[in-house]
């Protein structure tokens, strides 16, 4: 049996590390370009940026699928067979080989077209959303769908095409499993939503508690304060502004999140910041010595989303959090929030109010937004729904699931960036993340019952520490399944 | 004789275009990473960023020096022999072949080490300058010097090592020519500086005219207004803030400049913005259809610098410009500048006052700063001066040339980013730019004598139009020499 230490000296292993490092550098470089595209890039920078991202994607794909990479992985798989499965060496070879098997199935031409098309579509989506004109976005979305179908067919699938794309985010899960889980959740949720909505009085009572004028600069200072408090390290990251909040990482020392502000509502930016902070804390908690390898990532998208939902919903919508944050918010917005107490805030941010926008949805109705997207993208990919019919299908599904009809596409089918990005199969992970967040939080509370009181004091270290030890430090060396099983 | 149109259909020419396009994309991607490094990157992002830039540089170098590139260029050089020398096709092959000859002389290992070392050194320079500790920067500078010497030896040289590096910025020029030009300029300048300084009274009279408190946000708005007025297109670019102002381009639709602000002095940011605007207008004026080729660049660094010096000195320090900008400045800084007239501003921004900082120097003493840097970097590269002795040598030279001794290294040897960037041989172009700016402006005035009065009205189109037609539109298809000869 080879010792892990001995394998580190193996020239093949070293060559693998170096080759994976170059691939990782190109991925990080592309992430910088994509971040800039969403934050600071001037409008006419888009066409050249799309070409640059396509070139980086093509080179990355070429280097990762080079025959030499396959040879090295094959040889090293033998040499790591007897190593502990959770050692860095065995995990690295296993995970790299899994990604490699998928990557070699995508022809370089398709990888490049994909990157170029999605970058372009993202730009057009921003314009279409701003101008509320689905027609501007439709041809780009149609191309994305066509390419996603082609991609799925190259990746191969058994039961249905959507499986091949879902695998990217939730390895080992099938579309049918997701569908079944969603149907059983939906049955429970719809009853719950109806029951809560019938108690209309308490909702209305707290509804106006958080109304006011909240200047953008003050909101920005408040979100930075909260980020600092929960443990985000600004020496190793930053927060910017973008139309659709996201988190990205260029390395252990550079993790960035974005947010957006509405001056009539500060809880949106605050909770969105906590959501992205969950992703960002995960990225900042990955083992820095794994940088430049495919282990320097979250275990799965669902696990990543468990972290964001944890901080947004289980922390950010708790009574204890509002005992901590309300005094800060009062200082940030002098004259506002004077007569409000933490209990009213707690009730206001937990009000169940079916709405049009996923990212503003309450915990209860949020998953209904996911079910809708999952079903529509599944239909698009199976070819049972045409892009031109999508707005109507969207609006009909909204009406049936949430009892609301979007007055325009900006508040309907154009609200999310995902399909522009080409992220088909991504939405289910949000709901999976909701479920995992509760599982992980319950376990953390069992081991550390003082967490809520610490949160009320602004001490987030016990909760973050638990997540660091049980989730973050494993990077992608465990699958989501293994990770959750070990943690709970 | 092959017609240019026929050559465009040539598969070899098309392959050359595609290969150059990929190389250009990598260069643009690296430019985005470098821009972010100077503007928004958190401090601990530096090590990973250095590796990413090194990887991009290595891949770019590998792709540009691939044997296939040499074959294509050789074949196409024959096929373009009979084309007009200033046609796109002939120029492209000629310029690409010149760059290729240089690039193949640099071993990939050295190219990567260079990129990594200079990225790291730039980061350390920022810290060293902030903390005023040359010792922090010294080992990184020493490595840069060692690598630059190695680079020069690979590039080959005849008379002296510095020639090989100068060639990068001013093709065809020798160190001795620069030295002779500088000696003759120095003889004239020193007398002039002495004469002006003896008239101490008028200088002091206007000295205080532009004193006051100028809030950063108001300065920012003013510089954006001026950028808009001179013709910078914000749909195709932006302005940010960085410790050392610079301009960069990621394509025809994305040209970015940076500036920096001092709240006790608004002319520094204003003139620095005009300087960078000169570079940025040049980049925005390049033929967009030449994007992704090596012709999509300035003709030489000296010509690039002629544009920045033109806008900074010949426009920004003119009476007419102050008739235009003073009313804007008064609105930007209410309560300040009330009793000042354009003539006083004109005199204040043209006051000759030997100072420690190159970027704040007046037109007259500016070149003395360049002479100093040219001589020191020449000594460093020849091995006649050690990095540890550099601060003393700097201070002694400042005393002899400008009669001033820097009180610390932050205001001495640490003030410029160039050596941290590895840009040895770059400084002479500033003075060459000063000379070319006057040549070009004189010609423009001869053809369009209304330019100064237009400037006073805030109409910069006649001057910009002339530069577009005679300088910008040629890209790198002409050498600096040819371009100036044609223009004047």
């Amino acid at each position: 049996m080879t010792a892990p230490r001995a394998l580190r000296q193996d020239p093949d292993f070293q060559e693998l590390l170096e080759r994976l490092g170059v691939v990782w550098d190109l991925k990080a470089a592309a992430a910088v370009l994509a971040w800039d595209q969403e934050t600071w890039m001037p409008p006419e920078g888009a066409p050249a940026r799309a070409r640059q991202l396509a070139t980086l994607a093509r080179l990355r794909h070429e280097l990762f699928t080079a025959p030499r990479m396959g040879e090295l992985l094959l040889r090293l798989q033998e040499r790591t067979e007897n190593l502990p499965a959770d050692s860095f060496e065995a995990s690295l070879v296993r995970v790299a080989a899994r990604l490699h098997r998928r990557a070699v199935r995508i022809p370089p031409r398709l990888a490049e077209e994909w990157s170029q098309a999605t970058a372009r579509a993202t730009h057009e989506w921003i314009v279409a959303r701003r101008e509320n004109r689905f027609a501007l976005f439709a041809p780009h979305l149609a191309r994305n769908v066509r390419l996603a179908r082609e991609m799925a067919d190259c990746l191969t699938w058994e039961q249905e095409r959507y499986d091949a794309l879902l695998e990217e985010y939730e390895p080992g899960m099938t579309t049918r499993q997701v569908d079944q889980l969603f149907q059983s959740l939906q049955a429970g949720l719809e009853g719950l939503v109806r029951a809560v909505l019938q108690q209309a009085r308490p909702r209305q009572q707290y509804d106006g508690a958080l109304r006011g004028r909240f200047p953008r600069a003050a909101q920005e200072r408040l979100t930075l304060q909260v980020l600092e408090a929960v443990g985000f390290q600004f020496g190793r990251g930053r927060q910017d502004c973008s139309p659709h909040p996201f988190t990205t990482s260029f390395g252990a020392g550079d993790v960035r999140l974005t947010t957006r502000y509405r001056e009539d509502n500060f809880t949106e930016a605050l909770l969105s910041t906590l959501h992205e902070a969950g992703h960002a804390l995960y990225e900042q908690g990955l083992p820095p010595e794994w940088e430049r390898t495919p282990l320097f990532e979250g275990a799965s998208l669902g696990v990543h989303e468990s972290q964001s939902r944890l901080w947004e919903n289980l922390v950010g919508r708790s009574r204890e959090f509002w005992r901590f944050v309300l005094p800060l918010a009062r200082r940030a917005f002098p004259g506002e929030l004077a007569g409000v107490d933490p209990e009213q805030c707690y009730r206001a941010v937990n009000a169940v109010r079916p709405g049009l926008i996923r990212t503003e949805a309450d915990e209860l109705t949020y998953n209904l937004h996911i079910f809708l997207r999952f079903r529509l993208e599944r239909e698009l990919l199976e070819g049972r729904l045409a892009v031109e019919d999508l707005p109507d299908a969207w609006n009909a599904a909204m009406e049936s699931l949430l009892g609301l009809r979007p007055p325009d596409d900006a508040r309907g089918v154009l609200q999310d960036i995902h399909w522009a990005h080409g992220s088909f199969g991504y939405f289910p992970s949000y709901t999976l993340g909701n479920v995992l967040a509760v599982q992980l939080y319950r376990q953390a509370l069992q081991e550390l019952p003082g967490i809520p009181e610490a949160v009320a004091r602004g001490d987030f270290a016990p909760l973050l520490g638990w997540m660091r030890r049980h989730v973050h430090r494993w990077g992608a060396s465990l699958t989501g399944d293994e990770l959750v099983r070990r943690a709970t």
Side-chain angles (χ1 to χ4, degrees), chain A residues 67-87:
Chain A
R68 178 74 184 152
M69 188 72 89
E71 282 166 37
L72 288 170
L73 285 168
L74 205 64
R75 272 192 246 161
L76 288 163
Q77 273 177 293
E78 283 169 26
R79 276 174 238 167
T80 49
E81 260 169 18
N82 296 320
L83 291 185
D86 62 0
S87 66

Side-chain angles (χ1 to χ4, degrees), chain A residues 160 162-163 166 173-186 371 374-375 378 384 428 432:
Chain A
E160 62 176 289
Y162 192 87
D163 285 339
L166 182 65
M173 203 156 204
T174 68
T175 311
R176 282 194 200 165
Q177 286 175 314
V178 171
D179 195 36
Q180 278 160 13
L181 174 68
F182 285 8
Q183 284 188 26
S184 72
L185 277 174
Q186 188 176 338
F371 303 159
F374 163 67
R375 286 166 199 161
R378 191 183 181 192
R384 291 193 297 258
L432 298 173

